């Protein structure tokens, strides 16, 4: 039997699975003579430190036991055992912590994998870990349990909350809020029955579609605390997750402000009006006084609630059920009052009307209506300039009568037919009329009402408390939204059917003696609604102040936003103290606004943006068909998520387009900040999957045919060389590549490490990191490729052949010039250089070779003047024309002019050539000066012969030394030594040849060849290769005219001649290039890839 060992505390940093056999005699009650072989030995799985077990350490013979790191004594298996009387020898493995009895047939069958047990544990061990996994609650419960420091923390119990208590009721408590009691009647009276139903239906559809998407995401694996932030960040990546998470945090914080303002409004207007601190005796100052009262009392309430949250979350959780009961009782009283109004219409809700205008009860006495309409009453004094009969009165007052109507005629009255859309304009002049305090519209009402349907994330935030989260979250959330939607829609119908339109439009109940309008409908008393709504808004405010800091703490602990890391810390029990302080500060900003109608659209924006990205995450995962996308909730579809996303976006701009733009700008700034400065996270998000799908689609499209000339741009493969300390020898080469690319196209930075890949994998990773750091420093966007090969030339050839993927392959190779190749002790450097030139030519790739790269300007050294000179000797597909244009897009070369030189022979018409070249550049839309240099046929100079002779003599000496070296090696090999060296590099044997050419050496060679100084036809001409003389002549003549014209140019671009077909002339080829570029500081040798890269057509 395999008995699981109780979990032990891990001491070491790394943990592995270890199987410790237990003999039967170690188990009490079992003897070693037991006939049951299965009881004789067992495997016990425990955690042990990787560092604590040494594979090469043999079992101790003296002690007879090996003690594992977890403190379990294991009998020594290297000696002979007697289990049932028959001696047997146990197997001794490399890792002696995995020593197993022969009886343990399971582990004996896994002997083939025993060396990989550290990194690849057995399936039984893995399943044991998964079975013992518990989803620890990261919400309020762990903080509640940790508040008592003196008590010993109880062992964590498995979550037991079901759908009703864990999801349904919390969602109800968070969805029902202050808007239902304070503003829904006003919305119905202002917008009318149909438009009010439309507003409620759109908002409920938005949350229902979002809940469907959220249910799919929440059931696609375990969702810890953090709710929507966790779902979005793990689905869309840290950038979207951080941006939307902060928006959701701000929305939750401003929701706390809105609930507190609602509670203060209920307190000062309906419970204790005399508690106002600021009182204005002037009617014009009443609004300002009320706002100041809201600010003072709101700040006091915020301070008290923050202290309560700081002292202990357990008190908030205990009060939550009380607050929820208040909400349910208040709603039930509304329905009861509506039913009671059928036989017994409310008698104390008479509304005084002047014509069709309602009058405020603050200006009327409690006298009967007959006394009110007397000429000398207070009403007369309000509309007339005196109490006399001949007073001049208001025209509307003179032509209309004062009447009294029932404010709540009841369900059977048919008043619902008269509730129509009447939008108001802000008017405030202190007259007895009830005027609107704000200008209303359909869009404004949408923004004010939408916060009443938020709070659908309450279930997903409590996933750690749920017994079966993947079943409870969808059912509980959807049922809660259906319940609240039914309540809202029925409330609209009830208000429209029971209450007169003039009373519905009375936002603060001034026409019914300052009573809450919805309270006048409630049964048995308006105080049920007043007290219930007050406590429910206080509870909702506490929930917001409890949830917002934990959401901010979850974002801060992810380390995706560096400046928020401080808010990840808190008290010893995990309470987010610093996050609570920031939340209170932001909530205070909302309270200083002091208007419920102005705060509601702000939090609507943030919640709508959060819901938008939840729908986007679900739609994206569904469309991408990610293998990990396997939600248990199957009643979703990408069209529903897309529809929800569209509705969210539409509601954002419908309710307030300028708030929507501000919210998007804030989210965009946070997104870019995380992208450039945040910590890198790899969460397997959907955006990465979208990028992979888009890249795959684009690569397949690129494979359909070769790129058009108009779309050609240099896709660079930059070959860098590392020294012995893994430092880049020519970092300025990457700088030049960044100037050429300007952030566009493909850049692959590659290097070749000599050695065997089996033993150089670590060096390869280190080299890649070095190149990546250099690319970050030079701000080059691209990829790194490091190849380990026995010979550098083979590695470069493999890299050129295999770099890129599909249509995204490099078309241009950038490599450095072999510096001081003449004096180098390693001729292999220039051999590799020439081989690379041949490989790029064979692969039809362009080649760029900057010479004297260390003298090229860096990105911080812009050229303020000068020219880029192009020497167009032969046509190479237009590379020489395109490269200066690309370089001048960069700030370093932007102020440099461009000059193009071409060479005319004797038979060419130089004037016509200049005109044709100017026309060609005009059609290419390239601005440049044009000059044609005439090169007349001339005799070969003595200098040319001298350079040719020096070159051939040097080659001959090297060849003789190479032969003598190979002869010596052959003699050694014939004598029993190693026969020869590597057949690839026949120069390996003469790597120590050091050739330095001096003036004395040149004079000696001239004397040997009988070349008199200044002679144009030397006698030794017949002894030299004529082709070498001609090539040297060309190099010398071109160098003369180039130096003459471009000695002060910032950069000289020059056609690079191809290497000789015969490898015997490789060294001569290097000499030709040296002569061609002699005397020039900044040279870029260019060799085209054989295809046109520039065109005159659009």
């Amino acid at each position: 039997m395999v008995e699981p060992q109780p979990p032990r505390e891990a001491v070491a940093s790394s943990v592995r699975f270890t199987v410790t056999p237990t003999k039967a005699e170690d188990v009490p009650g079992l003897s070693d003579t037991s006939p049951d072989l299965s009881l004789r030995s067992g495997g016990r799985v425990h955690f042990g430190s990787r560092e604590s077990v040494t594979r090469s350490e043999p079992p101790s013979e003296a002690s007879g036991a090996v003690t594992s790191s977890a403190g379990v004594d294991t009998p020594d298996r290297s000696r002979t055992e007697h289990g049932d009387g028959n001696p047997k020898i146990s197997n001794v493995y490399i890792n002696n912590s995995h020593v197993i009895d022969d009886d343990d047939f399971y582990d004996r069958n896994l002997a083939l994998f025993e060396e990989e047990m550290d990194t690849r544990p057995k399936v039984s061990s893995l399943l044991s870990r998964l079975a013992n996994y518990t989803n620890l609650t990261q919400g309020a419960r762990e903080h509640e349990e940790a508040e008592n420091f003196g008590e010993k923390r109880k062992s964590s119990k498995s979550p037991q909350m079901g759908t009703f208590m864990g999801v349904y009721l919390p969602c109800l408590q968070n969805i029902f809020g202050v808007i239902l009691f304070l503003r829904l009647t006003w919305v119905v009276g202002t917008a009318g029955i149909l438009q009010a139903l439309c507003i409620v239906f759109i908002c409920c559809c938005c949350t229902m579609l979002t809940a469907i998407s959220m249910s799919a995401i929440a059931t696609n694996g375990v969702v810890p605390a953090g709710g929507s932030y966790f779902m979005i960040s793990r689905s869309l990546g840290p950038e979207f997750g951080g941006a939307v998470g902060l928006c959701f945090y701000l929305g939750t914080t401003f929701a706390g402000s809105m609930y507190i303002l609602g509670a203060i409004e209920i307190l000062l207007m309906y419970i204790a009006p005399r508690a106002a601190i600021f009182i204005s005796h002037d009617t014009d100052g009443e609004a300002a006084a009320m706002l100041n009262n809201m600010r003072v009392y709101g700040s006091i309430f915020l301070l008290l609630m923050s202290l309560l949250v700081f002292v202990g979350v357990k008190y908030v959780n205990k009060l939550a059920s009380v607050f929820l009961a208040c909400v349910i009782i208040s709603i039930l009283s509304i329905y009861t009052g509506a039913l009671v109004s059928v036989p017994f219409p409310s008698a104390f809700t008479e509304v005084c009307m002047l014509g069709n205008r309602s009058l405020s009860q603050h200006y009327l006495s409690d006298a009967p209506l007959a006394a009110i309409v007397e000429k000398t009453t207070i009403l007369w004094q309000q509309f007339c300039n005196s109490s006399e009969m001949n007073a001049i009165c208001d025209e509307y007052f003179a032509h209309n009568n004062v009447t009294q109507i029932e404010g709540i005629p009841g369900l059977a009255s048919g008043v619902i037919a008269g509730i129509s859309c009447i939008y108001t304009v802000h008017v405030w002049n202190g007259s007895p009329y009830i005027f609107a305090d704000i200008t209303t519209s359909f869009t404004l009402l949408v923004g004010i009402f939408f916060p009443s349907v938020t709070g659908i994330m309450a279930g997903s935030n409590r996933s750690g408390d749920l017994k079966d989260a993947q079943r409870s979250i969808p059912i509980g959330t959807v049922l809660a939204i259906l319940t609240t939607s039914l309540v809202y829609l029925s409330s609209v119908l009830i208000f429209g059917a029971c209450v007169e339109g003039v009373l519905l439009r009375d936002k603060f109940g001034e026409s019914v003696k300052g009573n809450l309008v919805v309270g006048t409908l409630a049964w048995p008393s308006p105080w049920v609604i007043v007290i219930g709504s007050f406590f429910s808004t206080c509870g909702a405010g506490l929930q917001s102040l409890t949830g917002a800091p934990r959401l901010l703490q979850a974002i801060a602990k992810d380390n995706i936003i560096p400046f928020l890391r401080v808010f990840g810390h808190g008290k010893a029990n995990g309470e987010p103290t610093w996050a609570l302080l920031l939340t209170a500060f932001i909530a205070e900003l909302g309270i200083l606004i002091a208007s419920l109608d102005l705060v509601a659209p702000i939090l609507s924006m943030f919640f709508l943006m959060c819901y938008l990205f939840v729908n986007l995450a679900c739609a994206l995962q569904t469309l991408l068909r990610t293998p990990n996308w396997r939600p248990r909730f199957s009643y979703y579809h990408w069209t529903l998520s897309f529809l929800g996303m569209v509705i969210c976006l539409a509601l954002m701009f419908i309710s307030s387009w300028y708030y929507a733009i501000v919210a998007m700008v804030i989210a965009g700034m946070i997104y870019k900040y995380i992208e450039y400065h945040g910590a890198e996270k790899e969460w397997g998000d959907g955006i990465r999957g979208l990028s992979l799908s888009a890249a795959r689609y684009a690569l397949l499209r690129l494979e359909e045919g070769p790129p058009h000339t108009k779309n050609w741009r240099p896709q660079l493969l930059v070959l860098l060389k590392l020294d012995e300390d893994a430092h880049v020898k020519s970092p300025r080469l990457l700088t030049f590549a960044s100037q050429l690319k300007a952030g566009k196209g493909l850049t692959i930075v590659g290097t070749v490490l000599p050695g065997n890949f089996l033993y150089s994998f670590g060096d390869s990773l280190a080299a890649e990191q070095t190149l990546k750091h250099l690319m970050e420093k030079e701000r080059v966007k691209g990829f790194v490729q490091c190849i380990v090969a026995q010979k550098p030339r083979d590695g470069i050839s493999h890299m050129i052949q295999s770099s890129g993927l599909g249509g995204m392959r490099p078309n241009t190779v950038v490599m450095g010039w072999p510096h001081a190749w003449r004096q180098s002790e390693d001729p292999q450097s220039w051999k590799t250089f020439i081989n690379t030139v041949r490989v790029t030519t064979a692969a039809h790739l362009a080649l760029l070779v900057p010479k004297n790269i260390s003298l090229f300007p860096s990105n911080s050294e812009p050229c303020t003047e000068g020219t880029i000179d192009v020497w167009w000797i032969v046509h190479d597909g237009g590379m020489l024309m395109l490269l200066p244009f690309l370089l001048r897009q960069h700030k370093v070369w932007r102020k440099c002019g461009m000059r193009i030189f071409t060479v005319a022979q004797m038979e060419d018409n130089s004037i016509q050539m200049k005109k044709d070249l100017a026309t060609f550049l005009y059609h290419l839309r390239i601005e440049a000066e044009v000059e044609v240099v005439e090169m007349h046929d001339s005799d070969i100079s003595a200098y040319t012969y001298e350079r040719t002779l020096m070159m051939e003599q040097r080659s001959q000496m090297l060849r003789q030394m190479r032969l003598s070296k190979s002869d010596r090696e052959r003699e050694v090999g014939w004598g029993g030594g190693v026969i020869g060296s590597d057949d690839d590099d026949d120069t390996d044997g003469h790597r120590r040849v050091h050739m330095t050419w001096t003036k004395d050496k040149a004079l000696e060679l001239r004397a040997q060849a009988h070349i008199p100084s200044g002679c144009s036809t030397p006698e030794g001409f017949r002894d030299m290769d004529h082709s070498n003389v001609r090539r040297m002549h060309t190099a010398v003549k071109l160098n003369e005219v180039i130096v003459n014209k471009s000695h002060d140019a910032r950069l000289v671009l020059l056609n690079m001649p191809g290497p000789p077909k015969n490898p015997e002339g490789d060294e001569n080829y290097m000499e030709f290039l040296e002569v061609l570029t002699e005397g020039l500081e900044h040279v870029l040798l260019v060799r085209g890839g054989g295809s046109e890269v520039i065109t005159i057509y659009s």
Side-chain angles (χ1 to χ4, degrees):
M1 298 290 290
V2 179
E3 299 179 359
Q5 182 179 351
R8 302 175 182 270
E9 295 184 358
V11 179
S13 59
S14 58
V15 175
R16 73 168 177 200
F17 294 94
T18 308
V19 177
T20 305
T22 304
K23 293 174 62 178
E25 56 266 23
D26 295 335
V27 182
L30 294 178
S31 64
D32 57 354
T33 60
S34 173
D36 189 359
L37 295 178
S38 63
L39 296 177
R40 185 167 300 147
S41 63
R44 296 171 61 186
V45 181
H46 70 276
F47 291 101
S49 170
R50 180 177 298 175
E51 290 87 352
S52 62
V53 179
T54 306
R55 292 179 176 229
S56 59
E57 182 182 354
S60 173
E61 293 289 338
S63 62
V66 178
T67 303
S68 68
S69 62
V72 180
D73 291 336
T74 305
D76 182 14
R77 301 300 183 190
S78 61
R79 54 185 171 84
T80 304
E81 297 181 354
H82 299 274
D84 53 356
N86 299 323
K88 62 179 181 236
I89 306 297
S90 66
N91 295 325
V92 179
Y93 295 94
I94 296 177
N95 188 347
N96 55 23
S97 65
H98 290 279
V99 187
I100 305 152
D101 271 344
D102 281 345
D103 290 340
D104 195 343
F105 61 91
Y106 178 80
D107 290 326
R108 186 174 61 202
N109 292 337
L110 294 182
L112 185 62
F113 304 96
E114 63 180 0
E115 295 187 18
E116 296 180 323
M117 286 294 182
D118 287 341
T119 57
R120 302 180 184 182
K122 292 192 306 180
V123 176
S124 60
S125 303
L126 178 63
L127 294 178
S128 176
R129 279 187 69 192
L130 295 177
N132 294 328
Y133 173 78
T134 56
N135 184 16
L136 295 178
T137 308
Q138 300 181 12
R141 173 178 290 185
E142 64 178 349
H143 303 296
E144 179 181 331
E145 292 178 354
E147 285 178 355
N148 297 324
F149 298 103
E151 300 179 4
K152 185 178 180 181
R153 181 172 297 184
K154 301 177 182 179
S155 59
S156 60
K157 299 180 180 179
S158 60
Q160 295 295 331
M161 298 184 70
T163 303
F164 185 76
M165 294 298 297
V167 180
Y168 182 74
L169 291 182
C171 284
L172 284 184
Q173 183 184 3
N174 282 268
I175 294 175
F176 285 132
V178 64
I179 302 296
L180 171 63
F181 304 112
L182 294 184
R183 292 293 183 267
L184 187 56
T185 54
W186 174 70
V187 169
V188 174
T190 305
I193 297 293
L194 293 179
Q195 292 195 24
L197 288 174
C198 181
I199 291 173
V200 174
F201 182 74
I202 292 175
C203 294
C204 292
C205 283
C206 176
T207 54
M208 176 59 74
L209 294 174
T210 304
I212 292 174
S213 300
M214 183 200 69
S215 299
I217 299 175
T219 57
N220 189 49
V222 179
V223 179
S228 61
Y229 161 70
F230 184 91
M231 289 188 291
I232 295 173
S233 61
R234 269 57 177 181
S235 298
L236 296 180
E239 294 85 4
F240 279 109
V244 181
L246 281 182
C247 287
F248 189 54
Y249 162 74
L250 292 175
T252 308
T253 305
F254 277 104
S257 302
M258 184 190 71
Y259 291 132
I260 293 175
L261 289 174
I264 301 303
E265 182 177 315
I266 295 172
L267 175 67
L268 294 181
M269 300 200 72
Y270 308 115
I271 297 179
R274 295 184 180 181
I277 300 175
F278 300 94
I279 301 175
S280 176
H281 299 287
D282 184 10
T283 54
D284 295 334
E286 289 182 359
M290 185 62 186
L291 293 178
N292 290 329
N293 288 322
M294 299 278 282
R295 293 186 179 103
V296 172
Y297 277 98
S299 301
I300 295 173
F301 267 52
L302 176 63
L303 179 61
L304 294 177
M305 289 183 178
S306 300
L307 289 176
L308 180 60
V309 173
F310 177 78
V311 169
V313 182
K314 59 183 179 182
Y315 303 110
V316 178
N317 293 336
K318 289 179 181 178
L319 291 173
S321 58
V322 177
F323 296 143
L324 179 59
C326 293
V327 174
I328 295 175
I329 292 173
S330 300
I331 294 174
L332 290 177
S333 69
I334 296 174
Y335 284 99
T336 306
L339 295 175
V340 171
S341 68
V342 176
F344 307 106
S346 181
F348 63 92
T349 57
E350 287 83 5
V351 178
C352 290
M353 304 288 295
L354 178 61
N356 61 352
R357 299 180 183 179
S358 57
L359 299 176
S360 174
Q361 290 285 354
H362 294 297
Y363 296 92
L364 304 177
S365 63
D366 293 333
L369 179 62
I372 293 176
V373 298
E374 289 293 331
K375 298 288 192 295
T376 58
T377 59
I378 297 176
L379 189 61
W380 179 277
Q381 296 175 4
Q382 290 291 330
F383 288 97
C384 302
N385 56 2
S386 69
S387 59
E388 301 297 329
M389 295 295 295
N390 58 354
I392 301 175
C393 298
D394 180 76
E395 183 178 358
Y396 189 84
F397 176 74
H399 291 83
N400 292 277
N401 296 323
V402 177
T403 58
Q404 194 172 26
I405 64 172
E406 289 185 0
I408 303 179
L411 278 174
S413 63
V415 71
I416 189 172
I419 307 298
S420 59
C421 172
I422 302 178
Y423 291 116
T424 57
V425 180
H426 176 208
V427 179
W428 191 275
N429 57 7
S431 66
Y433 300 129
I434 298 176
F435 287 98
D437 58 339
I438 59 173
T439 302
T440 57
S441 63
F442 179 84
T443 58
L444 178 72
L445 296 180
V446 170
I448 292 176
F449 176 77
F450 186 80
S452 63
V453 297
T454 60
I456 62 175
M457 300 290 182
S460 63
N461 290 343
R462 297 168 177 257
S463 61
D465 301 329
L466 302 175
K467 187 176 181 180
D468 187 0
Q470 299 194 359
R471 179 180 179 272
S472 298
I473 289 177
I475 297 176
T477 305
V478 172
L479 286 180
I481 293 176
L482 289 175
T483 303
T484 54
S485 301
L486 182 62
V487 169
Y488 285 135
L489 292 172
S490 60
S491 297
V492 171
L493 295 175
I494 288 175
F495 295 155
C498 296
V499 188
E500 277 285 351
V502 290
L503 182 57
L504 289 175
R505 287 187 289 275
D506 186 2
K507 182 188 293 186
F508 302 109
E510 297 179 17
S511 61
V512 286
K513 301 179 182 180
N515 288 311
L516 185 62
V517 174
V518 69
T520 59
L521 179 62
W523 183 88
S525 170
W527 286 101
V528 176
I529 291 289
V530 173
I531 300 300
S533 61
F534 176 76
F535 282 110
S536 68
T537 50
C538 290
L542 281 173
Q543 292 293 335
S544 298
L545 292 178
T546 303
R550 281 159 179 76
L551 177 60
L552 181 62
Q553 187 182 40
I555 299 173
K557 284 186 175 181
D558 271 341
N559 285 332
I560 60 173
I561 305 177
F563 68 84
L564 290 182
R565 288 173 183 164
V566 65
F567 299 107
H569 307 291
K571 293 193 296 186
N573 61 344
E575 282 290 326
T577 308
W578 293 106
L580 179 61
L581 291 176
L582 180 63
T583 302
F585 174 76
I586 298 175
E588 177 64 21
L589 297 180
I591 288 174
L592 292 179
I593 298 176
S595 174
L596 184 68
D597 301 322
L598 296 179
V599 174
I602 296 177
L603 64 99
S604 295
M605 289 303 111
F606 293 123
F607 278 120
L608 280 169
M609 180 165 289
C610 174
Y611 296 164
L612 184 149
F613 280 100
V614 169
N615 286 296
L616 175 62
C618 181
L620 193 63
Q621 298 277 26
T622 307
L623 289 175
L624 291 178
R625 298 177 181 176
T626 310
N628 191 51
W629 180 246
R630 302 183 301 274
R632 291 185 179 273
F633 181 77
S634 58
Y635 302 100
Y636 70 94
H637 196 267
W638 69 268
T639 54
L640 296 178
S641 301
F642 185 77
L643 179 61
M645 184 174 60
V646 171
I647 293 178
C648 290
L649 187 63
L651 287 177
M652 288 178 66
F653 284 92
I654 285 175
S655 58
S656 178
W657 63 269
Y658 44 89
Y659 278 161
I661 293 177
V662 171
M664 288 183 173
V665 169
I666 292 175
M669 293 173 61
I670 298 172
Y671 178 93
K672 298 305 291 184
Y673 178 83
I674 298 174
E675 184 180 14
Y676 285 107
H677 300 287
E680 294 183 0
K681 298 285 184 181
E682 177 50 57
W683 288 330
D685 51 85
I687 292 298
R688 185 174 180 85
L690 179 63
S691 301
L692 289 173
S693 297
R696 172 184 170 275
Y697 175 77
L699 287 173
L700 292 176
R701 287 289 304 272
L702 289 175
E703 280 289 306
E704 292 180 0
H708 194 274
T709 304
K710 293 185 292 186
N711 297 326
W712 193 95
R713 67 169 60 248
Q715 316 287 2
L716 299 184
L717 172 60
V718 184
L719 300 178
L720 297 180
K721 190 175 183 180
L722 304 180
D723 57 15
E724 293 79 3
D725 299 327
H727 295 151
V728 179
K729 285 189 175 181
S730 301
R732 196 62 63 87
L733 199 64
L734 195 57
T735 305
F736 175 74
S738 68
Q739 297 168 3
L740 182 64
K741 297 296 294 180
K744 306 295 182 182
L746 174 70
T747 302
I748 297 178
V749 181
T751 187
V752 177
L753 298 180
N756 191 332
F757 181 73
L758 296 178
Y759 310 110
S760 303
F761 180 69
D763 297 337
S764 175
L765 293 179
E768 287 185 4
Q769 291 299 320
T770 301
L771 296 180
K772 286 181 180 179
H773 290 324
L774 181 61
M775 292 176 68
E776 292 177 0
K777 180 181 178 182
E778 299 294 338
R779 296 183 178 179
V780 176
K781 299 290 185 180
F783 308 96
V784 172
Q785 186 171 3
C786 183
I787 289 182
V788 180
Q790 294 288 351
K791 299 163 189 173
R793 66 167 62 181
D794 291 342
I796 293 176
S797 177
H798 297 159
M799 184 177 295
I800 292 175
Q801 295 177 61
S802 61
S803 294
L805 180 65
M808 290 295 289
R809 292 184 179 275
N811 55 27
T812 305
V813 178
V814 181
M815 64 181 303
W817 175 263
H819 182 65
W821 63 274
R822 289 198 188 104
Q823 292 80 23
S824 174
E825 298 180 357
D826 181 14
Q828 188 60 33
S829 61
W830 56 266
K831 287 274 188 182
T832 303
F833 172 80
I834 297 177
N835 183 74
T836 305
V837 176
R838 288 196 173 97
V839 171
T840 55
T841 303
H844 300 287
L845 302 179
L847 178 64
L848 306 180
V849 182
K851 193 178 178 186
N852 301 325
I853 186 64
S854 60
L855 302 178
F856 277 48
S858 65
N859 289 332
S860 59
E861 301 171 351
C863 300
T864 57
E865 57 182 0
T867 59
I868 300 177
D869 289 357
V870 177
W871 284 86
W872 194 13
I873 311 300
V874 294
H875 182 57
D876 58 353
M879 281 285 291
L880 287 173
M881 306 294 175
L882 186 61
L883 291 176
F885 171 77
L886 296 175
L887 283 174
R888 291 175 64 192
Q889 306 302 310
H890 197 272
K891 63 179 181 179
V892 172
W893 306 96
R894 188 166 295 148
K895 295 185 178 180
C896 291
M898 181 176 171
R899 298 189 302 179
I900 296 182
F901 298 89
T902 188
V903 176
Q905 302 298 328
M906 283 294 296
E907 63 274 10
D908 297 327
N909 186 344
S910 59
I911 298 176
Q912 188 62 37
M913 280 183 63
K914 185 173 182 179
K915 290 181 180 180
D916 295 340
L917 182 56
T919 304
F920 181 61
L921 292 177
Y922 174 78
H923 289 301
L924 288 176
R925 290 90 64 200
I926 294 178
E927 297 181 0
E929 298 179 11
V930 177
E931 185 171 347
V932 177
V933 178
E934 296 181 352
M935 291 186 64
H936 301 287
D937 289 339
S938 61
D939 295 333
I940 300 175
S941 63
Y943 176 75
T944 301
Y945 287 113
E946 293 175 12
R947 295 298 298 262
T948 307
L949 183 59
M950 292 165 57
M951 177 184 69
E952 292 190 350
Q953 290 287 347
R954 182 173 184 273
S955 300
Q956 186 177 359
M957 290 176 60
L958 291 176
R959 194 176 300 111
Q960 291 176 354
M961 296 179 65
R962 186 183 310 132
L963 292 174
S964 61
K965 178 68 174 178
S966 61
D967 290 342
R968 290 196 299 270
E969 290 179 350
R970 190 176 297 109
E971 292 175 0
V972 173
W974 195 263
V978 179
I979 303 177
S981 60
D982 198 343
D983 60 347
D984 176 59
D985 298 327
D986 54 357
T987 59
D988 288 347
H990 62 278
R991 293 190 177 216
R992 296 297 178 183
V993 177
H994 191 120
M995 300 296 296
T996 303
W997 297 97
T998 61
K999 184 177 181 181
D1000 296 337
K1001 186 69 176 177
L1003 293 176
E1004 180 183 350
L1005 287 173
R1006 176 181 297 176
Q1008 293 176 1
H1010 309 288
I1011 304 176
S1013 179
C1015 180
S1016 59
T1017 56
E1019 298 177 1
F1021 175 74
R1022 64 179 60 93
D1023 296 331
M1024 288 183 289
D1025 188 348
H1026 183 66
S1027 62
N1028 286 339
V1029 176
R1030 287 189 296 104
R1031 291 187 176 90
M1032 185 64 73
H1033 176 66
T1034 302
V1036 170
K1037 294 292 291 183
L1038 281 176
N1039 178 258
E1040 289 178 357
V1041 296
I1042 293 173
V1043 171
N1044 182 35
K1045 297 287 186 179
S1046 303
H1047 61 277
D1048 57 349
R1050 292 289 183 181
L1051 181 63
V1052 177
L1053 279 76
L1054 183 63
N1055 283 116
M1056 181 179 183
K1061 295 181 180 180
N1062 185 7
E1064 293 294 332
D1066 285 354
E1067 189 176 4
N1068 299 340
Y1069 174 70
M1070 296 296 297
E1071 190 70 32
F1072 294 146
L1073 295 181
E1074 281 285 1
V1075 173
L1076 184 62
T1077 58
E1078 203 168 34
L1080 300 173
E1081 287 188 353
H1082 310 91
V1083 184
L1084 178 64
L1085 296 173
V1086 180
R1087 183 164 176 79
S1091 60
E1092 294 291 333
V1093 301
I1094 196 168
T1095 179
I1096 63 175
Y1097 300 103
S1098 60

